[in-house]
Amino acid sequence: MLITLDASSQAPLYQQIVDQTKAAILTGALRSGDPLPSLRQLAADLVTSVITTKRAYQDLEGEGLIKTFQGRGTFVAYLGEESLDRIRQSEAQTRLRDLVSHFLRLGLDADTLTRLFARALAEEVDRK
Amino acid sequence: MLITLDASSQAPLYQQIVDQTKAAILTGALRSGDPLPSLRQLAADLVTSVITTKRAYQDLEGEGLIKTFQGRGTFVAYLGEESLDRIRQSEAQTRLRDLVSHFLRLGLDADTLTRLFARALAEEVDRK
Amino acid sequence: MLITLDASSQAPLYQQIVDQTKAAILTGALRSGDPLPSLRQLAADLVTSVITTKRAYQDLEGEGLIKTFQGRGTFVAYLGEESLDRIRQSEAQTRLRDLVSHFLRLGLDADTLTRLFARALAEEVDRK
Amino acid sequence: MLITLDASSQAPLYQQIVDQTKAAILTGALRSGDPLPSLRQLAADLVTSVITTKRAYQDLEGEGLIKTFQGRGTFVAYLGEESLDRIRQSEAQTRLRDLVSHFLRLGLDADTLTRLFARALAEEVDRK
DNA sequence: GTGGTCTAGACCACT
DNA sequence: GTGGTCTAGACCACC
């Protein structure tokens, strides 16, 4: 598990940590019960401040993805594979709905959108 | 063409103006050469500050969608229907590619994504 | 609306701000749409740091009780009276259940608990 | 008498030991004069550190519930059944008073609170 | 060692 | 003016 921060990104540092950690949990790179790096260790690794790592872990805990215990450390929460899949699918559904709604409003028709989706899927599947 | 600001949206006011104006241009509600309200008029209509409307017009001009002429006002840029369609499709393609790439990486398979896309499309087409 | 911090309390400062603000909203002292003091103003009033007031507002926003808008300020969220009452009742129910469960386990019987509850209620109603 | 630590509880480990020991004494599972496991034995049993068990016994001794004799071990303090009952009732009374006071202030009326209490009691009595 | 809270200050984005 | 992010450092609680 490796996090890289992009200082030139629009996204705040803590958000980048959140996003990458979340992705690691959803892909299974981090599994239930796995320990996360300590706040101070992560801050040192990323050359950032403890406040920033703390804020990221706080948000992740708010989402229920990790649990922190004073004096003991921070760990990936216990989530069944079904829960993970439910999260993945519901996020995908929400984003797809927003995207489709947006471009239908802009005048693209259903056929065109379907064609663009198929092309995107084909390209990305190939890249893997 | 009517812009409404949603005070309870997290999106900045200037962004809401940009988004709605852009949508109006891409849907054809605003056509090439159409005049836009003056900065002051728009600010008065939306009960916001000129700084906010100015910021929005600057962004739109930066995207090449509108053009301001000193002393004469602001107008929709001259863009052929092919240009508009190219913009619509390339934006949709980019966002679909990002979305597909993201969720494939998280472990969703192509079939699931296709199913979710079809469902989103069906729901949104119905809503219209 | 007046917040007072007790430095000698076990509860962290931000938590005291959260608790008192939440109480003000639930009692109706603060109503939907009312503006809250700015982060800096509140920090100055309470002689604490902006980080502390920020943390408090962040938690309150996470609970859905307030909304903050960059550049505009922080406001009480729009919650109907039914929502407020649902919050009040569900919190009371949870805490009563925990309390009852705890003391039943310690060996108090239902009659004794009921008697103690009635006494507490009588005393507190009188004090008002 | 068996203590189990819940690693996924937010409560500190020493507090869990305190709570469970206290409950054992108040329920009568541990009686006046009964020996408690040694600090090291308990630490070994719970797979925790002696510092943690020491902290727990200190707190319990501070409350007057146990007594440590240098070189001989730790024992449940001599408390008559009246004392135990007084502790149980006074704790219950205090917590009920706080709870009632809090929710009256938030706008719940006495009838509603009584109804919620009755429901909590009924549910918890059933669960036993 | 771990996380939890807090300070005093900075710079940026938005209105 | 508003809130949003970040720093460098401190002290405390828990293990």
Side-chain angles (χ1 to χ4, degrees):
Chain A
M1 168 61 190
L2 189 118
I3 290 179
T4 54
L5 294 187
D6 173 8
S8 70
S9 160
Q10 290 285 64
L13 302 182
Y14 77 84
Q15 188 66 53
Q16 297 182 38
I17 300 175
V18 168
D19 290 343
Q20 293 180 44
T21 304
K22 186 172 180 177
I25 293 173
L26 289 179
T27 58
L30 285 176
R31 312 177 60 124
S32 291
D34 282 356
L36 272 64
S38 83
L39 290 177
R40 282 161 182 78
Q41 185 60 52
L42 185 59
D45 289 351
L46 300 180
V47 195
T48 183
S49 100
V50 174
I51 296 274
T52 302
T53 54
K54 174 85 175 74
R55 170 72 194 273
Y57 279 13
Q58 201 172 288
D59 282 16
L60 285 164
E61 177 144 34
E63 283 200 64
L65 293 173
I66 68 176
K67 291 202 73 161
T68 84
F69 304 98
Q70 188 164 356
R72 281 180 278 162
T74 305
F75 305 85
V76 178
Y78 283 88
L79 296 166
E81 176 55 33
E82 336 74 66
S83 297
L84 294 178
D85 212 56
R86 196 154 24 78
I87 294 172
R88 282 190 282 258
Q89 294 206 23
S90 88
E91 295 204 346
Q93 187 68 97
T94 301
R95 286 184 51 183
L96 279 167
R97 205 153 18 207
D98 288 351
L99 193 158
V100 164
S101 157
H102 178 68
F103 286 102
L104 284 180
R105 216 156 21 80
L106 291 196
L108 289 185
D109 58 38
D111 284 350
T112 304
L113 267 176
T114 302
R115 188 168 47 76
L116 293 174
F117 172 78
R119 190 197 299 172
L121 188 56
E123 288 175 9
E124 292 302 325
V125 167
D126 279 355
R127 287 194 25 186
K128 286 183 70 166
Chain B
M1 167 60 189
L2 188 116
I3 290 180
T4 55
L5 294 185
D6 175 7
S8 69
S9 161
Q10 293 297 88
L13 303 182
Y14 82 90
Q15 188 68 55
Q16 296 183 38
I17 299 174
V18 168
D19 289 344
Q20 293 180 45
T21 304
K22 185 171 180 178
I25 294 173
L26 289 177
T27 59
L30 284 176
R31 313 176 60 125
S32 292
D34 281 357
L36 270 61
S38 78
L39 290 178
R40 278 167 185 73
Q41 183 59 51
L42 184 58
D45 290 351
L46 300 179
V47 194
T48 184
S49 100
V50 175
I51 299 179
T52 303
T53 53
K54 188 167 171 52
R55 169 71 193 272
Y57 279 16
Q58 275 176 347
D59 280 19
L60 285 163
E61 182 142 27
E63 284 201 65
L65 293 171
I66 67 175
K67 222 163 153 32
T68 297
F69 301 95
Q70 268 292 0
R72 281 196 288 147
T74 305
F75 304 85
V76 177
Y78 282 87
L79 296 164
E81 176 54 32
E82 342 66 75
S83 297
L84 293 178
D85 210 56
R86 194 155 28 77
I87 293 173
R88 283 192 284 261
Q89 294 207 19
S90 88
E91 291 201 351
Q93 187 69 95
T94 301
R95 285 185 51 185
L96 279 168
R97 204 153 21 205
D98 289 350
L99 194 159
V100 165
S101 157
H102 178 67
F103 285 101
L104 284 179
R105 205 155 40 75
L106 290 196
L108 288 185
D109 57 38
D111 284 351
T112 304
L113 269 176
T114 302
R115 187 168 49 77
L116 294 174
F117 172 79
R119 190 197 298 173
L121 188 57
E123 286 176 10
E124 292 301 324
V125 167
D126 278 357
R127 287 192 23 175
K128 286 183 69 164
Chain C
M1 168 61 189
L2 190 119
I3 291 179
T4 56
L5 294 186
D6 174 8
S8 70
S9 160
Q10 290 286 65
L13 303 182
Y14 78 83
Q15 188 66 53
Q16 297 182 38
I17 300 174
V18 168
D19 290 343
Q20 292 180 45
T21 304
K22 185 172 180 176
I25 293 173
L26 289 178
T27 59
L30 285 176
R31 312 176 61 124
S32 292
D34 282 356
L36 271 65
S38 84
L39 290 177
R40 282 161 181 77
Q41 184 60 51
L42 185 59
D45 290 350
L46 300 179
V47 195
T48 183
S49 98
V50 174
I51 296 276
T52 303
T53 54
K54 174 84 176 72
R55 170 71 193 274
Y57 279 13
Q58 202 171 287
D59 281 16
L60 285 164
E61 177 144 33
E63 284 201 64
L65 293 172
I66 68 176
K67 291 202 72 162
T68 84
F69 304 97
Q70 190 165 355
R72 283 181 276 162
T74 305
F75 305 84
V76 177
Y78 282 88
L79 298 165
E81 176 55 33
E82 336 74 67
S83 297
L84 294 177
D85 212 57
R86 195 154 26 77
I87 294 172
R88 283 190 283 258
Q89 293 206 23
S90 88
E91 295 204 346
Q93 187 69 96
T94 300
R95 286 185 52 184
L96 280 168
R97 207 158 11 212
D98 288 351
L99 193 158
V100 164
S101 158
H102 179 68
F103 286 102
L104 285 179
R105 219 159 15 84
L106 289 198
L108 288 185
D109 58 40
D111 284 349
T112 305
L113 268 176
T114 303
R115 188 167 47 77
L116 293 174
F117 172 79
R119 190 196 300 171
L121 188 56
E123 287 176 8
E124 292 301 326
V125 167
D126 278 355
R127 289 193 22 186
K128 287 182 70 166
Chain D
M1 167 58 189
L2 187 115
I3 290 179
T4 54
L5 295 185
D6 175 7
S8 68
S9 161
Q10 294 297 88
L13 303 182
Y14 84 89
Q15 188 68 53
Q16 296 184 37
I17 299 174
V18 168
D19 289 344
Q20 292 180 46
T21 304
K22 186 172 179 178
I25 294 173
L26 289 178
T27 59
L30 285 177
R31 313 178 59 127
S32 292
D34 282 357
L36 270 62
S38 77
L39 290 179
R40 279 168 184 71
Q41 184 59 50
L42 185 59
D45 290 350
L46 300 180
V47 195
T48 185
S49 100
V50 176
I51 298 179
T52 302
T53 54
K54 188 166 172 51
R55 167 72 192 272
Y57 278 15
Q58 276 175 348
D59 279 19
L60 285 163
E61 183 142 27
E63 283 201 65
L65 293 171
I66 68 175
K67 223 163 152 28
T68 298
F69 300 96
Q70 269 291 1
R72 281 195 288 146
T74 305
F75 304 85
V76 177
Y78 283 87
L79 296 163
E81 176 54 32
E82 342 66 75
S83 297
L84 294 178
D85 210 55
R86 194 155 27 76
I87 293 173
R88 282 191 284 261
Q89 295 207 20
S90 88
E91 292 201 351
Q93 188 69 96
T94 301
R95 286 185 51 185
L96 279 168
R97 204 151 21 205
D98 288 351
L99 194 158
V100 165
S101 158
H102 178 67
F103 286 101
L104 284 179
R105 205 157 39 75
L106 291 196
L108 288 185
D109 58 38
D111 285 351
T112 304
L113 268 176
T114 302
R115 186 168 50 77
L116 294 174
F117 171 80
R119 190 197 300 173
L121 188 57
E123 287 176 10
E124 292 302 324
V125 167
D126 279 357
R127 287 192 24 174
K128 285 184 70 164

